[in-house]
Amino acid sequence: MTSPAGVERVLFTEEQVSERIREVAAEISGKYRGRDLKLIAVLKGAVFFLTELARAIEIPVKIDFLAISTFGGGGPGMVRIAKDLDDPIQDEDVLLVEDIIDTGFTARFLMQTLAGRGPRSLSICTLLDRTVRRIVQVPVDFRCFEIPDRFVVGCGLDYKQLYRNLGYIAVMTPDKD
Ligand code: IMP
Ligand code: MG
């Protein structure tokens, strides 16, 4: 696939992304050794990361999904669950898998919601972390890459629902419209 219009530069190549995901998967396997782990991915962006991460993890994993939507004009923190998990997480070791943590509002909302359901443990793993834009603090247990304050696409991240299928992560200049 040739680079779409608007893609300015590749930040991480497909090879760099895969290699880093394998490293983080090894960290996760080490931390949860001897236990089962439930991976929870947020639709839709985190699905691409989840599948690659899950295949590289060397302990038994279950997966589940939730979807969120923003309301009230999408202002910060205005997040609700649009599709809930299929199963309870009570007494399970849970890892929330995110594509990107930006302001932190989404992750904080999800962590609070999941914590209320009595998991045995609850941690976060994110593909991308943009700490320069953080407004609310969330503990990030596993991260693949820290990124600069630029809009990015690829590896599940979209611009107007497009470009999730790019294998690399690229900086994008959204068109003015
Ligand atoms: P937060 O609540 O500000 O942390 O927002 C996180 C959500 O915003 C992510 O799950 C993405 O859907 C979206 N997002 C933030 N930055 C980007 C980006 O650079 N590219 C694509 N989506 C983004
Ligand atoms: Mg999005």
Side-chain angles (χ1 to χ4, degrees), residues 120-140:
R120 176 172 184 233
S121 70
L122 178 61
S123 301
I124 303 188
C125 178
T126 190
L127 177 62
L128 304 178
D129 195 353
R130 192 157 47 210
T131 51
V132 291
R133 286 189 21 106
R134 197 75 94 249
I135 296 173
V136 294
Q137 290 315 307
V138 270
V140 178

Side-chain angles (χ1 to χ4, degrees), residues 1-10 153 163 166 168-172:
M1 189 169 167
T2 53
S3 291
V7 164
E8 232 180 75
R9 69 190 162 95
V10 173
V153 293
Y163 314 130
L166 297 177
Y168 52 87
I169 293 166
V171 169
M172 161 128 207

Side-chain angles (χ1 to χ4, degrees), residues 111-177:
M111 290 300 272
Q112 285 172 346
T113 303
L114 296 175
R117 299 180 185 188
R120 176 172 184 233
S121 70
L122 178 61
S123 301
I124 303 188
C125 178
T126 190
L127 177 62
L128 304 178
D129 195 353
R130 192 157 47 210
T131 51
V132 291
R133 286 189 21 106
R134 197 75 94 249
I135 296 173
V136 294
Q137 290 315 307
V138 270
V140 178
D141 305 276
F142 305 96
R143 96 165 44 79
C144 294
F145 301 104
E146 171 75 44
I147 61 162
D149 191 7
R150 296 296 313 276
F151 192 83
V152 295
V153 293
C155 296
L157 288 119
D158 72 301
Y159 171 60
K160 296 184 177 174
Q161 299 300 328
L162 289 170
Y163 314 130
R164 294 188 196 278
N165 61 324
L166 297 177
Y168 52 87
I169 293 166
V171 169
M172 161 128 207
T173 313
D175 44 68
K176 317 264 179 301
D177 57 12

Side-chain angles (χ1 to χ4, degrees), residues 10-48:
V10 173
L11 211 49
F12 305 107
T13 65
E14 191 163 345
E15 291 69 30
Q16 288 172 322
V17 171
S18 293
E19 191 185 332
R20 184 66 191 130
I21 291 176
R22 280 196 299 273
E23 286 173 6
V24 171
E27 268 181 60
I28 292 169
S29 304
K31 177 171 166 186
Y32 294 94
R33 184 78 59 202
R35 296 190 253 161
D36 296 350
L37 181 61
K38 178 167 282 183
L39 303 175
I40 293 180
V42 185
L43 297 170
K44 309 167 182 139
V47 169
F48 294 77

Side-chain angles (χ1 to χ4, degrees), residues 3-121:
S3 291
V7 164
E8 232 180 75
R9 69 190 162 95
V10 173
L11 211 49
F12 305 107
T13 65
E14 191 163 345
E15 291 69 30
Q16 288 172 322
V17 171
S18 293
E19 191 185 332
R20 184 66 191 130
I21 291 176
R22 280 196 299 273
E23 286 173 6
V24 171
E27 268 181 60
I28 292 169
S29 304
K31 177 171 166 186
Y32 294 94
R33 184 78 59 202
R35 296 190 253 161
D36 296 350
L37 181 61
K38 178 167 282 183
L39 303 175
I40 293 180
V42 185
L43 297 170
K44 309 167 182 139
V47 169
F48 294 77
F49 176 40
L50 171 92
T51 57
E52 193 162 350
L53 183 73
R55 277 184 303 219
I57 289 177
E58 291 173 339
I59 56 168
V61 298
K62 298 177 184 176
I63 60 170
D64 206 345
F65 299 93
L66 54 76
I68 51 167
S69 61
T70 49
F71 59 94
M78 311 289 271
V79 181
R80 67 173 186 88
I81 291 184
K83 180 236 171 278
D84 208 338
L85 299 173
D86 288 336
D87 298 309
I89 55 170
Q90 174 108 36
D91 298 327
E92 293 189 288
D93 289 300
V94 172
L95 187 60
L96 178 66
V97 178
E98 266 285 23
D99 52 357
I100 182 167
I101 302 181
D102 188 33
T103 61
F105 280 113
T106 310
R108 187 183 62 171
F109 166 79
L110 291 172
M111 290 300 272
Q112 285 172 346
T113 303
L114 296 175
R117 299 180 185 188
R120 176 172 184 233
S121 70

